[in-house]
Structures are given as C-alpha cells and as structure tokens.
Amino acid sequence: MSSFTEVIAVVLAAGMGTRMKTDLPKVLCPVLGRPMIHFVIDALEQAGVTRVIAVVGYKADDVKAALSSRPMVDFVLQTERLGTGHAVKMARELLEGHVGPVVVVAGDSPLLQASSVKQLLEAYRREQPACILGTLTKENPTGLGRIVRDSAGEFLGIVEEKDATPEQREICEVNMSTYVFDGPQLLHALDKLQNNNKQKEYYLTDCPAILKREDKAVKALPILKPCEALSINTPDELSAAEVAMRELGYPC
Ligand code: UD1
Ligand code: CA
C-alpha cells in the first residue's frame, strides 16, 4: 500500500508487566492462546510494515525466542527502563538514515487494528507530517494519556494522567500509543526529550509536542476503533480483550 520501500515499526516490549502478576513478560502473556505481541506484529504486517524493531528488556531472551518464527523482527535491548521515549531511543542506530515513516506501537495492545495503522500511514504519505497519531474517545479515560487541543481543535500535546491538571483529567480523548513519525523527525524529537515529569521518565508522549512547538506538522486523528482502547495492564484487562477478540471473530 505504501510508496515507501521500507516501512519500519518499533514495538515497545521491554516492560515487566508487574500488574499481570505472573513471571512471564507481559507481551508474552497468552491471549486466545498466543503471546499477545504476535497479534501486534500481525496487524503491523497486514498494514504494510516491512520491518519490525522490538525493544526488549525484561526476560529479553524469552521474548526473542517467542518471536524467532518472525523473520521481519529485529531486536534492540533496553537494559534500564527509563520510559517509553528512552525505549524508542534504543532503536536509534537501526533508524539512522531511514527516510520515511516509523510506526511506533506498544506490545501490550493485541487489538491494534491493521486498518488503523494503514489509515495513519496513508495520512503520512498524503501530508508528510512530522508526526501523526491515532486517538479515540473513552468514557473512562483513567490512567491514559490525554490529548490536549487548542480552542480551534489543533493538537497541542499529550499529558500523562499523573502530570495532568484536574481540568486536563476531564479530557476523554486519549493516546493509545499508536503513532507514525517521520523517521528523521522522530530522532530529532528523541534528542530533545527530558525527564522533568512526575515519573522522572523519558516519555515518548512528549515527542509530538516537541515537534509541534517547532511549527512542524503534527496531527492527532480520532480514527482508532473502540476495541483499540483495550490495551492490557491487568488480568482483568486481558480477559476483556479476549472477549472482544472473540466477538470480532479473531482466529482462536
Ligand atoms: C503509555 C502512554 C500513555 C498511553 C498508554 C496506553 C507514555 C509515557 N504513556 O502509558 O499516554 O495512554 O501507554 O497506550 O508513553 N515500555 C518499555 N520501556 C520502558 C517503559 C515502557 O519498553 O522503559 C513498554 C512497556 O513494556 C509497554 C509499553 O512500553 O509495552 C507502554 O508502557 P506502559 O508502562 O504500559 O505505559 P502506560 O503507562 O500504559
Ligand atoms: Ca500500558
């Protein structure tokens, strides 16, 4: 679908998933009998992604082994988990010199839809923005990054719940970690990241605002499907994702 020779995706998969209460790294927890990260890679592949860089850390060898059947996947190691932006930075060497789109998604979102990634890639190809991200509106946005817009509806930034003002917490449009960056612009924004926030982490969520402040084109498109709100942090969320996947007719 893409006119770019190579469409790279970075999948964040270094976390432990403490709240899952298991020894397995979260991205290997089975959903409908398969490690959840496989569904993410399926969606990326179906959307036209040609190469995946998985950022691994916790039990890296287990994650690598579980993905050994997927030749399009390369691995980079994040030894210290200093945040989602720091995780993407680990892929710098492999992204250097890549001209074109870089999809960035989280490995804990097995309901990522190929159609959504395709839509974002098509918008990237049409408009050549520095960054474009998918959003959705959720009745209960607790725990998620909120999308801040100006009075004209233009994207301004993403604010994490822990850093949000009470007013910002009322926002129901959320970030689901589904981004397409222009490769060189992503590297530029990563260089500027700081960790002066409540969690003292390098947030990937700050990258779109960094680019926007430099007057580069950044778009937040409310195109994600309701099922894409079901990222997995707890056993209950895993069960909810399985119910939704069965309803959507995912292969078991
Ligand atoms: C993140 C987003 C938030 C969004 C939510 C759901 C940031 C700062 N926040 O929050 O806006 O609403 O996802 O999409 O990005 N990971 C690493 N290395 C790290 C930290 C995280 O690889 O150092 C991986 C985790 O394994 C996971 C993914 O990144 O697969 C997301 O991390 P998580 O801690 O779940 O982020 P959230 O707090 O959910
Ligand atoms: Ca998460």
Side-chain angles (χ1 to χ4, degrees):
M1 56 73 56
S2 172
S3 58
F4 300 101
T5 48
E6 192 169 49
V7 180
I8 300 184
V10 177
V11 178
L12 305 181
M16 289 173 63
T18 320
R19 285 176 286 168
M20 293 303 293
K21 301 191 173 76
T22 145
D23 285 346
L24 278 178
K26 179 163 68 172
V27 294
L28 296 190
C29 289
V31 174
L32 298 184
R34 290 170 83 205
M36 67 173 90
I37 193 169
H38 276 291
F39 290 98
V40 177
I41 293 169
D42 288 349
L44 293 169
E45 203 168 354
Q46 283 161 25
V49 167
T50 53
R51 183 181 186 199
V52 171
I53 302 169
V55 184
V56 293
Y58 178 68
K59 299 206 172 172
D61 289 340
D62 293 351
V63 180
K64 284 184 186 175
L67 293 175
S68 60
S69 61
R70 319 265 331 215
M72 73 184 318
V73 184
D74 284 320
F75 300 94
V76 295
L77 191 64
Q78 185 194 25
T79 48
E80 283 180 293
R81 276 173 292 285
L82 302 181
T84 48
H86 179 261
V88 178
K89 269 190 177 193
M90 301 301 107
R92 166 176 275 287
E93 236 173 79
L94 298 182
L95 295 174
E96 208 93 59
H98 170 68
V99 177
V102 178
V103 181
V104 183
V105 296
D108 65 357
S109 304
L111 276 142
L112 175 70
Q113 299 294 295
S115 56
S116 298
V117 179
K118 261 190 202 165
Q119 258 180 289
L120 294 176
L121 282 169
E122 275 158 17
Y124 172 85
R125 189 175 44 185
R126 235 182 6 252
E127 300 170 29
Q128 302 280 306
C131 172
I132 188 150
L133 59 126
T135 72
L136 54 81
T137 296
K138 203 168 179 251
E139 217 169 284
N140 176 6
T142 305
L144 298 167
R146 310 295 209 282
I147 305 298
V148 182
R149 296 180 183 271
D150 67 14
S151 54
E154 290 277 312
F155 173 85
L156 289 179
I158 303 167
V159 60
E160 291 305 295
E161 169 142 315
K162 289 186 175 131
D163 302 295
T165 62
E167 207 176 37
Q168 288 170 331
R169 283 185 197 186
E170 298 297 314
I171 298 171
C172 289
E173 189 184 4
V174 292
N175 170 44
M176 292 312 310
S177 304
T178 307
Y179 316 81
V180 175
F181 285 92
D182 177 66
Q185 296 296 341
L186 171 60
L187 295 180
H188 170 77
L190 290 172
D191 283 344
K192 303 218 150 171
L193 271 188
Q194 294 183 338
N195 65 348
N196 50 1
N197 51 57
K198 281 271 162 60
Q199 305 188 80
K200 294 276 168 285
E201 286 185 4
Y202 295 91
Y203 291 162
L204 179 63
T205 45
D206 286 344
C207 286
I210 287 170
L211 296 168
K212 176 74 186 174
R213 282 199 296 273
E214 293 179 355
D215 275 336
K216 290 166 181 158
V218 179
K219 291 267 169 67
L221 297 185
I223 55 124
L224 299 181
K225 309 258 163 52
C227 69
E228 293 180 288
L230 299 171
S231 62
I232 295 177
N233 299 294
T234 64
D236 282 351
E237 287 174 348
L238 194 149
S239 304
E242 283 187 326
V243 169
M245 287 166 102
R246 286 207 181 90
E247 277 170 12
L248 290 165
Y250 270 73
C252 296

